[in-house]
Amino acid sequence: MAKYPHGDTKWFKEARFGMFIHWGLYSLPARHEWIRHYEEITDEDYQIYFDMFNPDLFEPEKWAKAAKAAGMKYMVITAKHHEGFCLFDTKYTDFKVTNTPVGRDLLKEVVDAFRAEGLRIGFYYSLIDWNHPDFVIDRRNGPYRNLPEEEFKKHNENRDMRRYAQFMRDQVTELLTNYGKIDILWFDFSYPNKEHPEDITLGKGHTHWESEELLKTARAIQPDIIIDNRLDLPGSADIVTPEQYTPGKPMQDEEGNPVAWEGCQTFSGSWGYHRDESTWKSEEQCIKLLIDHVSRDGNLLMNVGPTARGFLDDRAEKGLGYFAKWMKYHSCSIYGCGAAPGLTAPDGCRYTWNPKTNRLYLHIYSWPFRFLELKGLGGKVKYAQLLRDHSEVLRDEASAAITGKAGTDVGNISLKLPVQKPDDAVPVVEIILKEPLA
Ligand code: GLC
Protein backbone atom coordinates (compact mmCIF):
# COMPACT_ATOMS: atom_id res chain seq x y z
CA MET A 1 0.00 0.00 0.00
CA ALA A 2 1.17 3.47 -0.81
CA LYS A 3 2.48 5.41 2.15
CA TYR A 4 0.01 8.17 1.44
CA PRO A 5 -3.54 7.66 0.23
CA HIS A 6 -4.26 9.36 -3.07
CA GLY A 7 -7.13 11.32 -4.53
CA ASP A 8 -9.15 10.67 -7.65
CA THR A 9 -7.35 11.93 -10.74
CA LYS A 10 -9.49 10.10 -13.29
CA TRP A 11 -11.82 13.01 -14.01
CA PHE A 12 -8.85 15.36 -13.93
CA LYS A 13 -6.98 13.58 -16.72
CA GLU A 14 -10.13 13.62 -18.84
CA ALA A 15 -10.75 17.31 -18.18
CA ARG A 16 -7.33 18.59 -19.26
CA PHE A 17 -8.18 22.28 -19.04
CA GLY A 18 -8.96 24.52 -16.08
CA MET A 19 -9.04 28.13 -14.96
CA PHE A 20 -6.75 29.52 -12.26
CA ILE A 21 -8.03 32.62 -10.50
CA HIS A 22 -5.78 34.88 -8.45
CA TRP A 23 -7.85 37.42 -6.62
CA GLY A 24 -7.10 39.21 -3.42
CA LEU A 25 -6.14 42.59 -2.01
CA TYR A 26 -3.18 42.75 -4.41
CA SER A 27 -5.64 43.48 -7.20
CA LEU A 28 -5.92 47.04 -5.80
CA PRO A 29 -2.29 48.12 -6.09
CA ALA A 30 -2.43 46.14 -9.35
CA ARG A 31 1.33 45.73 -9.46
CA HIS A 32 1.66 41.92 -8.96
CA GLU A 33 0.44 39.59 -6.22
CA TRP A 34 3.89 39.64 -4.60
CA ILE A 35 3.65 43.42 -4.14
CA ARG A 36 3.97 43.20 -0.34
CA HIS A 37 7.22 41.36 -0.79
CA TYR A 38 8.67 43.42 -3.63
CA GLU A 39 7.88 46.78 -2.09
CA GLU A 40 8.35 45.60 1.51
CA ILE A 41 4.99 46.99 2.59
CA THR A 42 4.40 46.88 6.35
CA ASP A 43 1.18 45.57 7.92
CA GLU A 44 0.14 49.16 8.65
CA ASP A 45 0.64 50.32 5.08
CA TYR A 46 -1.02 47.28 3.54
CA GLN A 47 -4.14 47.90 5.60
CA ILE A 48 -5.33 50.56 3.12
CA TYR A 49 -6.05 47.88 0.49
CA PHE A 50 -8.16 45.98 3.00
CA ASP A 51 -10.07 49.14 3.86
CA MET A 52 -10.63 49.94 0.17
CA PHE A 53 -11.63 46.45 -1.01
CA ASN A 54 -15.10 46.87 -2.46
CA PRO A 55 -15.59 45.09 -5.78
CA ASP A 56 -18.72 46.76 -7.07
CA LEU A 57 -18.66 45.06 -10.47
CA PHE A 58 -18.15 41.56 -9.12
CA GLU A 59 -20.05 39.13 -11.31
CA PRO A 60 -18.70 35.63 -10.80
CA GLU A 61 -21.38 34.29 -13.16
CA LYS A 62 -19.54 36.08 -15.96
CA TRP A 63 -16.22 34.51 -14.98
CA ALA A 64 -17.85 31.11 -14.89
CA LYS A 65 -19.52 31.58 -18.27
CA ALA A 66 -16.26 32.74 -19.83
CA ALA A 67 -14.47 29.71 -18.39
CA LYS A 68 -17.09 27.36 -19.70
CA ALA A 69 -17.09 28.95 -23.13
CA ALA A 70 -13.29 28.60 -23.22
CA GLY A 71 -13.77 24.86 -22.71
CA MET A 72 -12.47 24.78 -19.15
CA LYS A 73 -13.78 21.99 -16.95
CA TYR A 74 -12.63 23.12 -13.52
CA MET A 75 -11.29 26.10 -11.66
CA VAL A 76 -8.84 26.73 -8.85
CA ILE A 77 -9.18 29.97 -6.91
CA THR A 78 -6.95 31.61 -4.30
CA ALA A 79 -8.86 31.19 -1.05
CA LYS A 80 -5.81 32.73 0.60
CA HIS A 81 -2.63 33.91 -1.13
CA HIS A 82 0.74 34.78 0.43
CA GLU A 83 -0.56 38.17 1.60
CA GLY A 84 -2.71 36.23 4.09
CA PHE A 85 -6.03 37.79 3.10
CA CYS A 86 -8.89 35.28 3.18
CA LEU A 87 -11.49 35.51 0.46
CA PHE A 88 -13.79 33.44 2.66
CA ASP A 89 -15.45 33.73 6.02
CA THR A 90 -13.31 32.16 8.71
CA LYS A 91 -13.32 31.94 12.47
CA TYR A 92 -9.55 32.07 12.72
CA THR A 93 -8.53 35.51 11.50
CA ASP A 94 -10.04 38.96 11.12
CA PHE A 95 -8.07 39.51 7.93
CA LYS A 96 -10.96 38.27 5.84
CA VAL A 97 -13.34 39.42 3.16
CA THR A 98 -16.36 39.65 5.43
CA ASN A 99 -14.62 42.42 7.38
CA THR A 100 -13.91 44.54 4.29
CA PRO A 101 -16.44 47.04 2.93
CA VAL A 102 -17.91 44.38 0.62
CA GLY A 103 -18.84 42.38 3.72
CA ARG A 104 -19.74 39.09 2.01
CA ASP A 105 -18.13 35.68 1.59
CA LEU A 106 -17.09 36.11 -2.04
CA LEU A 107 -15.47 32.69 -2.25
CA LYS A 108 -18.86 31.16 -1.73
CA GLU A 109 -20.37 33.25 -4.52
CA VAL A 110 -17.58 32.22 -6.91
CA VAL A 111 -18.03 28.56 -6.02
CA ASP A 112 -21.78 28.73 -6.58
CA ALA A 113 -21.35 30.46 -9.94
CA PHE A 114 -18.87 27.91 -11.28
CA ARG A 115 -20.89 24.97 -10.00
CA ALA A 116 -23.91 26.37 -11.76
CA GLU A 117 -21.96 26.13 -15.04
CA GLY A 118 -20.97 22.54 -14.26
CA LEU A 119 -17.31 23.17 -13.48
CA ARG A 120 -15.43 21.43 -10.71
CA ILE A 121 -13.96 23.43 -7.85
CA GLY A 122 -10.43 23.74 -6.49
CA PHE A 123 -9.01 25.88 -3.70
CA TYR A 124 -5.54 27.35 -3.73
CA TYR A 125 -4.29 27.77 -0.18
CA SER A 126 -1.02 29.56 0.54
CA LEU A 127 1.29 27.94 3.07
CA ILE A 128 3.16 31.22 3.19
CA ASP A 129 1.38 33.93 5.15
CA TRP A 130 2.80 37.45 5.40
CA ASN A 131 0.02 38.57 7.70
CA HIS A 132 -0.34 35.91 10.37
CA PRO A 133 1.17 36.88 13.75
CA ASP A 134 2.55 33.36 14.27
CA PHE A 135 4.15 32.96 10.87
CA VAL A 136 7.88 33.13 11.59
CA ILE A 137 9.31 35.65 9.17
CA ASP A 138 12.27 34.59 7.07
CA ARG A 139 14.95 36.01 4.85
CA ARG A 140 13.53 34.46 1.73
CA ASN A 141 10.20 36.21 1.30
CA GLY A 142 7.80 38.69 2.83
CA PRO A 143 7.86 42.39 3.64
CA TYR A 144 10.22 42.07 6.60
CA ARG A 145 12.88 39.93 4.97
CA ASN A 146 15.51 42.66 4.84
CA LEU A 147 15.21 44.00 8.37
CA PRO A 148 18.48 44.47 10.24
CA GLU A 149 19.24 41.48 12.49
CA GLU A 150 18.09 43.07 15.75
CA GLU A 151 14.73 44.17 14.42
CA PHE A 152 14.31 40.93 12.54
CA LYS A 153 14.74 39.00 15.78
CA LYS A 154 12.38 41.30 17.60
CA HIS A 155 9.71 40.75 14.95
CA ASN A 156 9.98 37.03 15.48
CA GLU A 157 9.95 37.09 19.26
CA ASN A 158 6.48 35.79 19.95
CA ARG A 159 5.81 33.92 16.73
CA ASP A 160 5.05 30.24 16.96
CA MET A 161 4.92 28.08 13.84
CA ARG A 162 3.12 25.30 15.69
CA ARG A 163 0.22 27.60 16.32
CA TYR A 164 0.38 28.68 12.68
CA ALA A 165 0.29 25.04 11.54
CA GLN A 166 -2.80 24.52 13.67
CA PHE A 167 -4.33 27.65 12.10
CA MET A 168 -3.80 26.15 8.64
CA ARG A 169 -5.46 22.89 9.67
CA ASP A 170 -8.37 24.84 11.08
CA GLN A 171 -8.78 26.87 7.90
CA VAL A 172 -8.44 23.86 5.63
CA THR A 173 -11.11 22.20 7.75
CA GLU A 174 -13.38 25.19 7.16
CA LEU A 175 -12.68 25.24 3.45
CA LEU A 176 -13.37 21.54 3.04
CA THR A 177 -16.44 21.57 5.27
CA ASN A 178 -18.34 24.71 4.35
CA TYR A 179 -18.35 24.68 0.54
CA GLY A 180 -19.54 21.22 -0.46
CA LYS A 181 -17.41 18.86 -2.52
CA ILE A 182 -14.03 20.34 -3.36
CA ASP A 183 -12.09 18.58 -6.07
CA ILE A 184 -8.62 20.07 -5.71
CA LEU A 185 -6.57 21.50 -2.87
CA TRP A 186 -3.63 23.46 -4.19
CA PHE A 187 -1.06 24.26 -1.50
CA ASP A 188 1.63 26.83 -2.30
CA PHE A 189 4.60 26.48 -1.57
CA SER A 190 7.58 24.97 0.28
CA TYR A 191 11.13 26.29 0.12
CA PRO A 192 13.26 24.29 2.54
CA ASN A 193 16.83 25.46 2.83
CA LYS A 194 18.92 22.50 1.73
CA GLU A 195 22.01 23.34 3.80
CA HIS A 196 20.21 24.41 6.96
CA PRO A 197 16.78 22.74 6.88
CA GLU A 198 16.33 23.38 10.61
CA ASP A 199 16.76 27.16 10.31
CA ILE A 200 13.25 28.43 9.83
CA THR A 201 14.45 31.94 9.02
CA LEU A 202 16.16 30.62 5.88
CA GLY A 203 13.41 28.46 4.44
CA LYS A 204 10.36 26.39 5.25
CA GLY A 205 9.33 22.85 4.52
CA HIS A 206 7.18 19.97 5.71
CA THR A 207 8.34 20.08 9.34
CA HIS A 208 7.27 23.71 9.64
CA TRP A 209 3.90 23.30 7.95
CA GLU A 210 3.39 19.95 9.69
CA SER A 211 2.53 18.74 6.23
CA GLU A 212 1.67 15.17 7.23
CA GLU A 213 -0.96 16.42 9.64
CA LEU A 214 -2.25 18.97 7.17
CA LEU A 215 -2.61 16.29 4.54
CA LYS A 216 -4.38 13.95 6.95
CA THR A 217 -6.76 16.71 7.95
CA ALA A 218 -7.72 17.29 4.32
CA ARG A 219 -8.04 13.61 3.39
CA ALA A 220 -10.12 12.83 6.46
CA ILE A 221 -12.76 15.31 5.29
CA GLN A 222 -12.58 14.75 1.54
CA PRO A 223 -10.77 11.49 0.73
CA ASP A 224 -10.98 11.88 -3.07
CA ILE A 225 -9.62 15.39 -3.21
CA ILE A 226 -6.64 15.98 -5.48
CA ILE A 227 -3.65 17.48 -3.66
CA ASP A 228 -0.65 19.05 -5.36
CA ASN A 229 3.06 18.50 -4.81
CA ARG A 230 4.04 21.61 -2.93
CA LEU A 231 3.87 20.32 0.65
CA ASP A 232 7.48 19.10 0.56
CA LEU A 233 6.29 15.55 1.19
CA PRO A 234 7.65 13.14 -1.44
CA GLY A 235 5.18 10.44 -2.43
CA SER A 236 2.12 12.37 -1.30
CA ALA A 237 1.28 14.28 -4.48
CA ASP A 238 -1.62 13.46 -6.76
CA ILE A 239 -0.42 16.01 -9.28
CA VAL A 240 2.85 17.69 -10.18
CA THR A 241 2.54 21.41 -10.92
CA PRO A 242 5.19 22.91 -13.20
CA GLU A 243 4.82 26.66 -13.34
CA GLN A 244 5.40 29.08 -16.22
CA TYR A 245 7.14 26.52 -18.41
CA THR A 246 6.05 23.54 -20.46
CA PRO A 247 7.74 20.22 -19.74
CA GLY A 248 9.12 18.50 -22.83
CA LYS A 249 7.64 15.09 -22.02
CA PRO A 250 5.24 13.30 -19.64
CA MET A 251 6.21 13.92 -16.00
CA GLN A 252 7.09 11.83 -12.96
CA ASP A 253 6.62 12.39 -9.24
CA GLU A 254 9.50 12.89 -6.78
CA GLU A 255 9.97 9.12 -6.66
CA GLY A 256 10.15 8.62 -10.40
CA ASN A 257 6.64 7.22 -11.00
CA PRO A 258 4.46 8.51 -13.83
CA VAL A 259 2.11 11.10 -12.43
CA ALA A 260 -0.75 13.32 -13.49
CA TRP A 261 0.53 16.84 -14.01
CA GLU A 262 -0.83 20.28 -14.55
CA GLY A 263 1.14 23.21 -15.89
CA CYS A 264 -0.04 26.56 -14.59
CA GLN A 265 0.39 29.47 -16.95
CA THR A 266 -0.48 33.13 -17.14
CA PHE A 267 -1.87 35.15 -20.03
CA SER A 268 0.65 37.86 -19.10
CA GLY A 269 3.54 38.07 -16.65
CA SER A 270 1.58 38.28 -13.40
CA TRP A 271 -0.92 36.06 -11.57
CA GLY A 272 -2.74 38.83 -9.76
CA TYR A 273 -4.25 41.66 -11.81
CA HIS A 274 -1.44 43.86 -13.10
CA ARG A 275 -2.52 47.03 -14.80
CA ASP A 276 0.74 47.89 -16.53
CA GLU A 277 2.17 44.50 -17.41
CA SER A 278 2.00 44.00 -21.14
CA THR A 279 3.55 40.67 -22.10
CA TRP A 280 0.20 39.18 -23.08
CA LYS A 281 0.44 35.98 -25.09
CA SER A 282 -0.89 35.84 -28.62
CA GLU A 283 -3.74 33.66 -29.78
CA GLU A 284 -1.35 31.17 -31.34
CA GLN A 285 0.81 31.00 -28.20
CA CYS A 286 -2.23 30.32 -26.02
CA ILE A 287 -3.57 27.53 -28.20
CA LYS A 288 -0.14 25.95 -28.54
CA LEU A 289 0.26 26.00 -24.77
CA LEU A 290 -2.86 23.93 -24.36
CA ILE A 291 -1.89 21.47 -27.08
CA ASP A 292 1.69 21.14 -25.82
CA HIS A 293 0.48 20.28 -22.34
CA VAL A 294 -2.01 17.65 -23.49
CA SER A 295 0.40 16.13 -26.02
CA ARG A 296 2.68 15.36 -23.06
CA ASP A 297 -0.08 13.94 -20.87
CA GLY A 298 -0.61 17.13 -18.90
CA ASN A 299 -3.36 19.56 -18.00
CA LEU A 300 -3.30 23.30 -18.52
CA LEU A 301 -4.41 25.61 -15.72
CA MET A 302 -4.70 29.02 -17.33
CA ASN A 303 -4.75 31.98 -15.01
CA VAL A 304 -6.84 35.12 -14.86
CA GLY A 305 -6.48 37.94 -12.32
CA PRO A 306 -9.77 39.82 -11.93
CA THR A 307 -9.60 43.56 -11.25
CA ALA A 308 -10.24 45.18 -7.88
CA ARG A 309 -13.76 45.94 -9.07
CA GLY A 310 -14.31 42.25 -9.66
CA PHE A 311 -14.50 41.94 -13.42
CA LEU A 312 -12.20 40.34 -15.96
CA ASP A 313 -10.59 43.09 -17.98
CA ASP A 314 -10.69 43.20 -21.80
CA ARG A 315 -7.29 41.58 -22.15
CA ALA A 316 -8.28 38.59 -20.04
CA GLU A 317 -11.59 38.28 -21.86
CA LYS A 318 -9.80 38.40 -25.17
CA GLY A 319 -7.43 35.65 -24.07
CA LEU A 320 -10.28 33.44 -22.93
CA GLY A 321 -11.94 34.18 -26.24
CA TYR A 322 -9.01 32.63 -28.14
CA PHE A 323 -9.71 29.37 -26.37
CA ALA A 324 -13.46 29.63 -26.84
CA LYS A 325 -13.04 30.08 -30.58
CA TRP A 326 -10.62 27.20 -31.00
CA MET A 327 -12.23 24.79 -28.54
CA LYS A 328 -15.62 25.13 -30.19
CA TYR A 329 -14.31 23.01 -33.05
CA HIS A 330 -11.32 21.22 -31.56
CA SER A 331 -12.14 20.08 -28.04
CA CYS A 332 -12.18 16.44 -29.22
CA SER A 333 -8.40 16.63 -29.51
CA ILE A 334 -8.13 17.79 -25.88
CA TYR A 335 -10.69 16.09 -23.61
CA GLY A 336 -9.71 12.56 -22.68
CA CYS A 337 -6.57 12.83 -24.79
CA GLY A 338 -2.89 12.45 -23.99
CA ALA A 339 0.43 11.50 -25.54
CA ALA A 340 0.37 9.18 -28.56
CA PRO A 341 2.45 6.15 -27.58
CA GLY A 342 5.17 5.07 -29.99
CA LEU A 343 4.59 7.82 -32.55
CA THR A 344 6.78 10.77 -33.39
CA ALA A 345 4.97 13.74 -34.87
CA PRO A 346 6.47 15.43 -37.93
CA ASP A 347 8.51 18.62 -37.41
CA GLY A 348 6.32 21.52 -36.36
CA CYS A 349 3.42 19.24 -35.33
CA ARG A 350 2.04 17.67 -32.15
CA TYR A 351 0.00 14.52 -31.68
CA THR A 352 -2.62 13.86 -29.09
CA TRP A 353 -4.46 10.58 -28.86
CA ASN A 354 -7.73 9.50 -27.33
CA PRO A 355 -7.35 5.91 -26.09
CA LYS A 356 -11.12 5.43 -25.76
CA THR A 357 -12.05 6.35 -29.30
CA ASN A 358 -8.64 5.40 -30.74
CA ARG A 359 -8.51 8.66 -32.66
CA LEU A 360 -5.25 10.40 -33.30
CA TYR A 361 -5.04 14.17 -33.59
CA LEU A 362 -2.40 15.87 -35.63
CA HIS A 363 -1.93 19.54 -34.65
CA ILE A 364 -0.15 21.41 -37.38
CA TYR A 365 1.83 24.38 -36.02
CA SER A 366 3.59 25.11 -39.26
CA TRP A 367 1.39 24.67 -42.31
CA PRO A 368 3.26 22.79 -45.05
CA PHE A 369 2.83 23.02 -48.81
CA ARG A 370 0.38 20.28 -49.78
CA PHE A 371 2.07 17.14 -48.43
CA LEU A 372 2.80 16.09 -44.88
CA GLU A 373 4.47 12.75 -44.24
CA LEU A 374 3.48 10.82 -41.13
CA LYS A 375 5.93 8.20 -39.94
CA GLY A 376 4.81 4.70 -39.06
CA LEU A 377 1.17 5.11 -40.07
CA GLY A 378 1.37 3.22 -43.39
CA GLY A 379 -1.57 0.82 -43.67
CA LYS A 380 -2.96 1.89 -40.32
CA VAL A 381 -5.32 4.68 -41.22
CA LYS A 382 -9.00 4.15 -41.92
CA TYR A 383 -9.93 7.76 -42.56
CA ALA A 384 -8.64 11.29 -42.03
CA GLN A 385 -10.49 14.57 -41.81
CA LEU A 386 -10.01 18.17 -40.77
CA LEU A 387 -11.41 18.37 -37.28
CA ARG A 388 -12.75 21.89 -37.88
CA ASP A 389 -15.37 20.85 -40.46
CA HIS A 390 -15.01 17.08 -40.91
CA SER A 391 -13.90 17.56 -44.50
CA GLU A 392 -11.95 14.62 -45.83
CA VAL A 393 -8.16 14.76 -45.98
CA LEU A 394 -6.85 12.52 -48.75
CA ARG A 395 -3.68 10.54 -48.28
CA ASP A 396 -1.04 8.64 -50.20
CA GLU A 397 -0.05 5.24 -48.91
CA ALA A 398 3.48 4.39 -49.95
CA SER A 399 4.00 0.86 -51.20
CA ALA A 400 7.19 -1.01 -51.92
CA ALA A 401 6.37 -0.65 -55.63
CA ILE A 402 5.90 3.08 -55.66
CA THR A 403 8.11 4.36 -52.89
CA GLY A 404 8.83 7.96 -53.32
CA LYS A 405 5.35 9.13 -54.27
CA ALA A 406 5.38 12.64 -52.89
CA GLY A 407 8.48 11.56 -51.03
CA THR A 408 6.63 9.05 -48.89
CA ASP A 409 8.72 6.23 -47.43
CA VAL A 410 7.48 2.69 -46.98
CA GLY A 411 5.63 2.36 -43.70
CA ASN A 412 4.57 6.00 -43.82
CA ILE A 413 1.68 7.94 -45.31
CA SER A 414 1.45 11.41 -46.75
CA LEU A 415 -1.54 13.60 -46.09
CA LYS A 416 -2.65 15.81 -48.96
CA LEU A 417 -3.48 19.13 -47.42
CA PRO A 418 -5.20 22.13 -48.98
CA VAL A 419 -2.82 24.84 -50.14
CA GLN A 420 -4.48 27.39 -47.92
CA LYS A 421 -4.16 26.98 -44.20
CA PRO A 422 -7.60 26.75 -42.57
CA ASP A 423 -8.45 29.82 -40.56
CA ASP A 424 -7.61 28.34 -37.16
CA ALA A 425 -4.80 29.31 -34.78
CA VAL A 426 -3.74 25.66 -35.06
CA PRO A 427 -5.51 23.39 -37.56
CA VAL A 428 -6.06 19.77 -36.57
CA VAL A 429 -6.37 16.60 -38.63
CA GLU A 430 -8.37 13.85 -36.98
CA ILE A 431 -7.07 10.42 -37.92
CA ILE A 432 -9.25 7.38 -37.41
CA LEU A 433 -7.02 4.36 -36.91
CA LYS A 434 -7.73 0.78 -37.91
CA GLU A 435 -6.03 -0.76 -34.88
CA PRO A 436 -5.56 0.54 -31.37
CA LEU A 437 -2.24 2.35 -30.87
CA ALA A 438 -1.51 0.69 -27.58
C1 GLC B 1 4.19 30.97 -7.30
C2 GLC B 1 3.89 32.32 -6.72
C3 GLC B 1 2.49 32.69 -6.73
C4 GLC B 1 1.55 31.98 -7.65
C5 GLC B 1 1.93 30.56 -7.91
C6 GLC B 1 1.12 29.87 -8.96
O1 GLC B 1 4.41 29.99 -6.40
O2 GLC B 1 4.36 32.43 -5.42
O3 GLC B 1 2.32 34.03 -6.71
O4 GLC B 1 0.36 31.94 -7.00
O5 GLC B 1 3.24 30.49 -8.22
O6 GLC B 1 1.67 28.64 -9.25
Side-chain angles (χ1 to χ4, degrees):
M1 209 180 93
K3 192 172 163 211
Y4 298 102
H6 283 277
D8 170 21
T9 51
K10 195 166 171 288
W11 71 266
F12 181 84
K13 290 190 237 167
E14 292 274 318
R16 287 301 185 215
F17 191 25
M19 175 183 269
F20 215 174
I21 304 174
H22 276 69
W23 200 42
L25 299 184
Y26 42 79
S27 63
L28 283 94
R31 299 191 293 276
H32 200 277
E33 78 284 354
W34 275 66
I35 184 79
R36 271 206 83 169
H37 162 95
Y38 291 137
E39 298 183 13
E40 301 181 37
I41 306 176
T42 61
D43 291 339
E44 296 71 31
D45 287 346
Y46 207 67
Q47 182 64 28
I48 187 69
Y49 303 125
F50 185 90
D51 297 340
M52 298 301 292
F53 187 70
N54 197 6
D56 59 338
L57 298 178
F58 171 61
E59 285 177 277
E61 300 76 20
K62 285 202 176 154
W63 307 358
K65 283 195 165 48
K68 187 174 185 177
M72 293 159 164
K73 296 284 195 185
Y74 62 100
M75 67 86 149
V76 178
I77 183 168
T78 51
K80 178 190 89 166
H81 201 262
H82 308 337
E83 63 178 1
F85 175 69
C86 298
L87 200 57
F88 59 105
D89 196 10
T90 166
K91 282 198 223 118
Y92 303 99
T93 176
D94 292 332
F95 202 51
K96 59 176 179 179
V97 67
T98 43
N99 287 343
T100 66
V102 73
R104 309 187 324 256
D105 182 337
L106 299 187
L107 187 71
K108 172 147 199 331
E109 297 179 27
V110 175
V111 168
D112 290 346
F114 277 78
R115 278 215 185 103
E117 293 297 330
L119 277 82
R120 296 202 185 226
I121 308 295
F123 289 152
Y124 168 111
Y125 185 83
S126 176
L127 300 165
I128 297 166
D129 194 317
W130 299 328
N131 175 73
H132 198 279
D134 278 319
F135 186 87
V136 175
I137 62 168
D138 57 62
R139 294 292 190 187
R140 172 84 186 269
N141 70 57
Y144 300 113
R145 69 189 183 284
N146 288 322
L147 286 180
E149 193 59 20
E150 276 308 294
E151 262 186 83
F152 185 81
K153 276 198 180 134
K154 206 158 157 256
H155 248 270
N156 266 336
E157 250 164 25
N158 298 313
R159 292 171 184 260
D160 178 349
M161 273 309 269
R162 299 190 58 185
R163 282 200 304 248
Y164 176 67
Q166 181 62 50
F167 164 79
M168 290 202 288
R169 291 194 289 274
D170 289 337
Q171 286 211 316
V172 163
T173 300
E174 289 181 319
L175 286 169
L176 300 191
T177 308
N178 300 341
Y179 300 88
K181 183 169 168 14
I182 303 303
D183 298 286
I184 302 174
L185 188 54
W186 221 101
F187 290 113
D188 193 37
F189 62 80
S190 300
Y191 48 107
N193 185 290
K194 294 225 167 68
E195 274 137 48
H196 307 283
E198 74 296 339
D199 188 342
I200 192 169
T201 64
L202 295 178
K204 293 185 177 64
H206 67 99
T207 51
H208 309 112
W209 317 130
E210 300 180 13
S211 295
E212 297 234 5
E213 284 303 306
L214 192 54
L215 193 70
K216 263 192 217 158
T217 303
R219 286 251 179 267
I221 309 172
Q222 304 225 19
D224 286 341
I225 199 164
I226 292 176
I227 298 181
D228 70 345
N229 63 330
R230 298 187 179 197
L231 281 171
D232 183 33
L233 216 52
S236 72
D238 297 313
I239 56 171
V240 173
T241 56
E243 172 179 330
Q244 301 272 33
Y245 75 96
T246 313
K249 53 178 195 300
M251 294 197 86
Q252 302 176 330
D253 66 11
E254 306 96 324
E255 297 179 328
N257 308 306
V259 69
W261 66 270
E262 174 195 68
C264 48
Q265 310 286 353
T266 50
F267 278 112
S268 77
S270 171
W271 299 89
Y273 177 67
H274 195 315
R275 185 188 58 206
D276 304 328
E277 212 285 334
S278 58
T279 61
W280 288 74
K281 295 179 181 69
S282 70
E283 177 171 13
E284 212 177 292
Q285 283 176 307
C286 287
I287 302 304
K288 286 179 179 174
L289 263 184
L290 177 60
I291 298 163
D292 280 350
H293 282 61
V294 178
S295 72
R296 293 154 197 171
D297 275 342
N299 285 28
L300 172 64
L301 188 63
M302 198 73 199
N303 180 74
V304 294
T307 64
R309 298 191 73 177
F311 64 89
L312 295 174
D313 82 344
D314 290 349
R315 298 169 296 182
E317 282 202 343
K318 190 168 159 198
L320 290 169
Y322 300 152
F323 288 108
K325 185 171 150 204
W326 190 83
M327 285 291 275
K328 176 172 180 195
Y329 299 104
H330 300 100
S331 64
C332 294
S333 77
I334 300 296
Y335 301 142
C337 293
L343 289 180
T344 308
D347 285 350
C349 295
R350 300 283 186 277
Y351 279 134
T352 64
W353 177 61
N354 185 324
K356 277 197 195 135
T357 61
N358 194 33
R359 289 181 182 211
L360 179 69
Y361 297 96
L362 173 71
H363 303 80
I364 307 177
Y365 286 7
S366 162
W367 193 252
F369 175 53
R370 295 189 63 218
F371 291 99
L372 183 58
E373 185 172 2
L374 309 182
K375 289 206 173 75
L377 287 180
K380 295 187 175 158
V381 174
K382 187 158 128 193
Y383 191 71
Q385 58 190 0
L386 276 184
L387 185 51
R388 135 81 65 168
D389 59 1
H390 284 188
S391 61
E392 183 174 12
V393 173
L394 297 172
R395 60 192 190 276
D396 272 341
E397 293 274 351
S399 71
I402 47 157
T403 347
K405 180 124 183 249
T408 315
D409 278 339
V410 177
N412 300 349
I413 62 165
S414 281
L415 298 180
K416 295 195 214 173
L417 296 167
V419 171
Q420 282 184 322
K421 174 182 176 269
D423 190 22
D424 291 308
V426 177
V428 182
V429 179
E430 182 177 52
I431 299 170
I432 292 99
L433 298 166
K434 289 181 186 162
E435 306 276 326
L437 260 193

